[in-house]
Amino acid sequence: MKTTPDALAALIGQRVDLIDTPALVVDLDAMDRNIQRMADFARKHQVRWRPHAKMHKSAELALLLQQAGAQGVCVQKVSEAEALAAGGVLDITITNEVIAMPKLHRAARLATALASRGGRLGVAVDSAEGIERLAEAMAQSGSDAGMDVLVEIDVGQGRCGVPPGEAAVALALAVARHPRLRFAGLQAYHGRAQHFASAGERREAIARTVQQAAHTRDLIEAAGLPVPLVTGSGTGTLVNEAASGVYGELQAGSFLFMDADYARNERDPAQPAFEHALFVKTQVISVRDTHAVCDAGHKSHAIDSGLPTVAHLPADRALRYANGGDEHGILYAEGDKARLPALGRMLWLVPGHCDPTVNLHDFMIGVRGGLAQGVVERIIRVDARGALS
Amino acid sequence: MKTTPDALAALIGQRVDLIDTPALVVDLDAMDRNIQRMADFARKHQVRWRPHAKMHKSAELALLLQQAGAQGVCVQKVSEAEALAAGGVLDITITNEVIAMPKLHRAARLATALASRGGRLGVAVDSAEGIERLAEAMAQSGSDAGMDVLVEIDVGQGRCGVPPGEAAVALALAVARHPRLRFAGLQAYHGRAQHFASAGERREAIARTVQQAAHTRDLIEAAGLPVPLVTGSGTGTLVNEAASGVYGELQAGSFLFMDADYARNERDPAQPAFEHALFVKTQVISVRDTHAVCDAGHKSHAIDSGLPTVAHLPADRALRYANGGDEHGILYAEGDKARLPALGRMLWLVPGHCDPTVNLHDFMIGVRGGLAQGVVERIIRVDARGALS
């Protein structure tokens, strides 16, 4: 396991301006407020929350969320589950299909280890062959620990999952036939809908999603098998699934940090006012007549959901960030009174998409007291960085 | 320093099909042929080559390139230089501006350490203030080791660098006034031109670049200061700079692996026939009526220069890769006789852009004997992965 490098450990207690650039910085006060908002929201709607750790990939943050009431974590990969389990997380759902036998053997071992510590492992399936492989791995593990199995239905994402309806019934019944597999419910996530720009579009899309999930649940129960849970949702649509009466668990993860992409979309009035808590600190390294250049490019932040915005500037002094390649950003003066920043100036970027941005960094630097005058409180390890398998 | 994980070390000597997915795999035979082609090309044109290590970030590969005749490495960041120096690379040029005093102190220490082992460090500047800061850091280091300083001119990239001409003369003379700084020449890289689709466009763009660099060089020499080197170029345009008589050094790095973006562009007949040597191995984890889903998304490969292509399929059985998010790729049957791949099938992707793809991985798996029947020969550490500062 990686330890914190000396250069980062030495930062603890230091003022924000001593953080070298580019660096991934968490505004801990803003993050704590986001956690409180989410906890309040889930309590009000009487729904469980299991934040997706594919976003933060940190055992420390997973445990912090659990202290605030979260059920456990979701992950996408077996290796993410292993990394978080090593950091003390005991309740893990892999919201994705696992097909390779070596990975399934690892999952079976992990299920056994978690069960022995009072935890559990869940995994999604969307094929009969996937169920057979999983059952074989569990049988070969020789353990009595069971595995929770969610049947994934495609409720609009157009990726994995079987169509809602009869295909899902057949899979649920197939799961239930295996002694070491527990049918745990339906995985029903509409990922694309998270990013629809208007709140109305999102509401309509999730109305269909909810209807499909409810219909599939009813068919499975009519076949004699209880459906303990329908799980899914994300930060963009959680108000809709929470109010549905069908979803028992929310998997939203991005609320913790938020990103520029979510901020660009219309907020549903019912959605908690989550705020940006994740920033890339960058420095101006070159100034020209027409533009300035900073030291953060797309090796510092992901650009799949758009470019970062420059934070904490009044509108009339706004700067626009343009892509300068892997290691550079180009800054243009945009506000009426905006001037190009001086050589050496420190700036704060809000990444376009938090998940793949965090995955570029080994550590996040947690700041208490705000980004202007705060101090470094802790270094948060990205335990599952690069955990792909 | 990170060591190779047991799971990867155990792969050595094993057949390709045991590599779990997603994984970054180097076809070592193809890579070796690329190195030979580049060495032959540089010898024929009597030009030095200093491949950019921002691409591979590996000390092992840097040393392999040096054995084939490369001069040393270029990097973009002080932390990359530190990581490669720790792996035994002694001749390093930072082709980028360094402004923060803590980084400049680190660079000064590194210059001293490299000089003591017979090596050298170079860095680019594009401002009088940058030169003063660098000189101050070198003075405070108390060492007699000098630093090579390249004045960066903007020859079409529109990013860092001063305009060609008088501004560069002033900076070159300013460098020469400092006892511990050695004016080492001009950094003149037209990055955008690397990706122009037609060979004619690239030739025209670099003709202007060469003219600007030659003019600036002549002005500096007319001011009484010799210009030991003009350096720059990349894989897309190296035929043009190599034939210019002005460039003494080529910084091209991508030729080692190539990527889908370079392959999409028209090849100049004079350019060596570099071949793909970097692949993401992926597995099909879900099959639907309309598409299949594989386990490599943009946490496995960068998408800033386009999506990956699916390699090693005959044209009439081609598959098209579409973006499926952070952890998934969507595969469509494209060729006339193409059918969707079966659940569990292994496929090979050619990343759109090799540099930021390598930066997502801690290790590359080197295969000898081809991707169909070969065996794992070695695990190549990405020493400077995430080295941003």
Side-chain angles (χ1 to χ4, degrees):
Chain A
M1 185 159 296
K2 296 171 193 167
T3 52
T4 307
D6 292 345
L8 286 180
L11 267 181
I12 292 176
Q14 302 292 309
R15 278 198 350 219
V16 167
D17 33 313
L18 289 178
I19 300 172
D20 199 9
T21 62
L24 193 62
V25 175
V26 176
D27 180 336
L28 295 172
D29 303 295
M31 183 185 79
D32 286 349
R33 288 190 292 270
N34 286 342
I35 294 173
Q36 192 56 52
R37 289 178 185 113
M38 185 65 194
D40 292 345
F41 178 84
R43 197 177 305 112
K44 179 179 158 196
H45 289 275
Q46 295 189 287
V47 65
R48 277 196 342 203
W49 48 307
R50 179 185 290 280
H52 219 305
K54 74 188 170 93
M55 193 283 281
H56 58 72
K57 288 177 170 272
S58 153
E60 179 176 339
L61 295 185
L63 296 174
L64 193 69
L65 287 158
Q66 281 180 212
Q67 280 167 23
Q71 176 68 25
V73 298
C74 299
V75 298
Q76 292 285 66
K77 302 283 185 159
V78 175
S79 56
E80 287 178 321
E82 290 166 337
L84 296 182
V89 181
L90 301 180
D91 186 344
I92 304 176
T93 299
I94 303 170
T95 59
N96 197 9
E97 282 65 28
V98 181
I99 293 300
M101 285 309 301
K103 287 194 191 80
L104 287 166
H105 289 308
R106 284 161 46 201
R109 281 196 295 275
L110 184 60
T112 307
L114 290 174
S116 75
R117 293 150 69 193
R120 62 167 279 287
L121 185 66
V123 66
V125 297
D126 75 352
S127 67
E129 186 176 340
I131 294 167
E132 293 308 311
R133 288 176 178 225
L134 178 60
E136 185 188 330
M138 286 300 285
Q140 287 184 21
S141 76
S143 152
D144 285 336
M147 175 92 76
D148 279 354
V149 181
L150 296 159
V151 170
E152 182 169 13
I153 55 173
D154 181 358
V155 287
Q157 171 74 356
R159 199 167 60 188
C160 300
V162 289
E166 292 300 341
V169 179
L171 292 184
L173 294 172
V175 170
R177 277 194 289 272
H178 287 287
R180 285 190 178 84
L181 305 185
R182 293 184 294 262
F183 174 64
L186 294 174
Q187 164 71 17
Y189 174 58
H190 192 337
R192 289 189 305 118
Q194 306 308 313
H195 306 283
F196 292 164
S198 92
E201 276 180 290
R202 296 197 297 275
R203 197 176 315 122
E204 283 173 35
I206 300 303
R208 285 189 296 277
T209 286
V210 166
Q211 195 180 24
Q212 292 172 322
H215 174 64
T216 307
R217 176 200 61 190
D218 294 346
L219 286 177
I220 295 171
E221 297 203 329
L225 192 62
V227 179
L229 183 68
V230 175
T231 179
S233 187
T235 295
T237 66
L238 56 85
V239 295
N240 306 297
E241 285 95 342
S244 69
V246 171
Y247 279 71
E249 186 179 86
L250 306 177
Q251 298 178 355
S254 296
F255 74 89
L256 187 68
F257 290 158
M258 292 299 283
D259 56 36
D261 185 56
Y262 274 126
R264 278 186 272 264
N265 296 334
E266 180 199 0
R267 184 164 75 87
D268 189 294
Q271 181 177 310
F274 300 122
E275 52 191 303
H276 293 307
L278 185 76
F279 300 85
V280 172
K281 189 186 180 203
T282 185
Q283 184 180 34
V284 174
I285 61 164
S286 179
V287 182
R288 305 281 303 273
D289 289 346
T290 49
H291 64 268
V293 183
C294 70
D295 63 1
H298 53 251
K299 282 181 183 164
S300 305
H301 53 260
I303 57 171
D304 58 283
S305 301
L307 295 173
T309 55
V310 185
H312 303 141
L313 297 174
D316 62 354
R317 297 189 186 277
L319 298 172
R320 181 169 62 84
Y321 179 101
N323 192 353
D326 296 3
E327 292 94 0
H328 300 89
I330 314 281
L331 299 165
Y332 295 101
E334 189 148 272
D336 291 344
K337 296 184 188 166
R339 297 170 62 176
L340 289 176
L343 194 73
R345 167 104 181 260
M346 300 294 186
L347 292 166
W348 297 93
L349 305 178
V350 178
H353 188 185
C354 49
D355 304 38
T357 295
V358 171
N359 187 51
L360 292 166
H361 296 261
D362 292 319
F363 297 93
M364 299 177 264
I365 300 171
V367 167
R368 184 71 67 189
L371 299 184
Q373 304 285 340
V375 299
V376 176
E377 179 181 284
R378 52 190 148 136
I379 307 299
I380 302 165
R381 193 161 53 200
V382 185
D383 303 279
R385 198 223 73 74
L388 292 168
S389 72
Chain B
M1 185 160 293
K2 295 172 197 170
T3 53
T4 307
D6 292 345
L8 286 180
L11 267 181
I12 292 176
Q14 301 293 309
R15 275 192 0 210
V16 168
D17 33 311
L18 288 178
I19 301 172
D20 200 8
T21 61
L24 193 63
V25 175
V26 176
D27 179 337
L28 295 172
D29 303 295
M31 183 185 80
D32 286 350
R33 289 190 292 269
N34 286 342
I35 295 174
Q36 192 57 53
R37 289 179 185 111
M38 185 65 195
D40 293 345
F41 178 84
R43 197 176 305 110
K44 178 178 158 197
H45 288 276
Q46 296 189 289
V47 65
R48 277 196 342 202
W49 48 307
R50 179 185 291 279
H52 219 305
K54 74 188 169 95
M55 194 283 281
H56 58 72
K57 288 178 170 272
S58 153
E60 179 176 340
L61 295 184
L63 296 174
L64 193 70
L65 287 158
Q66 281 180 210
Q67 281 169 21
Q71 176 68 27
V73 298
C74 299
V75 297
Q76 291 286 66
K77 301 284 184 159
V78 176
S79 56
E80 287 179 320
E82 290 167 336
L84 296 182
V89 181
L90 301 180
D91 186 345
I92 303 176
T93 299
I94 303 170
T95 59
N96 197 8
E97 283 64 29
V98 181
I99 293 300
M101 285 310 300
K103 288 193 189 81
L104 288 165
H105 289 307
R106 283 160 48 199
R109 282 196 295 274
L110 183 59
T112 307
L114 290 175
S116 75
R117 292 150 70 193
R120 62 168 278 288
L121 184 66
V123 66
V125 296
D126 75 351
S127 66
E129 186 177 340
I131 294 167
E132 293 309 311
R133 288 176 178 225
L134 177 60
E136 185 188 331
M138 288 299 286
Q140 287 184 20
S141 77
S143 151
D144 284 338
M147 176 90 78
D148 279 355
V149 181
L150 296 160
V151 171
E152 181 169 13
I153 56 174
D154 181 359
V155 288
Q157 173 73 355
R159 197 166 60 191
C160 300
V162 290
E166 292 300 341
V169 179
L171 292 185
L173 294 172
V175 170
R177 277 194 290 272
H178 287 287
R180 286 190 177 83
L181 305 185
R182 293 183 295 261
F183 174 65
L186 294 175
Q187 165 72 16
Y189 174 59
H190 192 336
R192 287 189 306 119
Q194 306 307 315
H195 307 283
F196 291 167
S198 93
E201 276 180 289
R202 297 198 297 274
R203 196 177 315 121
E204 281 173 36
I206 299 304
R208 284 190 297 277
T209 286
V210 166
Q211 195 181 24
Q212 292 172 323
H215 174 64
T216 307
R217 176 198 63 190
D218 294 347
L219 287 177
I220 295 170
E221 296 202 330
L225 191 61
V227 179
L229 182 67
V230 176
T231 180
S233 187
T235 295
T237 66
L238 56 85
V239 297
N240 306 296
E241 285 95 342
S244 69
V246 170
Y247 279 71
E249 186 179 86
L250 305 177
Q251 298 178 355
S254 296
F255 73 88
L256 187 68
F257 289 157
M258 292 299 283
D259 56 38
D261 186 56
Y262 275 126
R264 278 186 271 263
N265 295 334
E266 180 197 1
R267 184 163 75 89
D268 189 294
Q271 180 177 311
F274 300 122
E275 55 192 298
H276 294 307
L278 184 78
F279 299 85
V280 172
K281 189 187 181 202
T282 185
Q283 184 178 33
V284 174
I285 61 165
S286 180
V287 182
R288 305 282 301 274
D289 290 346
T290 49
H291 64 269
V293 183
C294 71
D295 64 359
H298 53 250
K299 282 180 183 165
S300 305
H301 53 260
I303 58 171
D304 58 283
S305 302
L307 295 173
T309 56
V310 185
H312 303 141
L313 297 175
D316 62 354
R317 296 189 185 277
L319 298 173
R320 181 168 63 83
Y321 179 100
N323 192 351
D326 296 4
E327 292 95 1
H328 300 89
I330 314 281
L331 299 165
Y332 295 102
E334 189 147 274
D336 291 344
K337 296 185 188 166
R339 295 169 62 175
L340 289 176
L343 194 74
R345 166 103 181 261
M346 300 293 188
L347 292 166
W348 297 94
L349 305 178
V350 178
H353 187 187
C354 48
D355 305 37
T357 296
V358 171
N359 187 51
L360 291 167
H361 297 263
D362 292 320
F363 298 93
M364 299 177 264
I365 299 171
V367 167
R368 184 71 67 188
L371 299 185
Q373 304 284 340
V375 297
V376 175
E377 180 181 283
R378 54 191 147 134
I379 307 300
I380 302 165
R381 194 163 50 204
V382 185
D383 303 280
R385 199 222 73 74
L388 292 169
S389 72

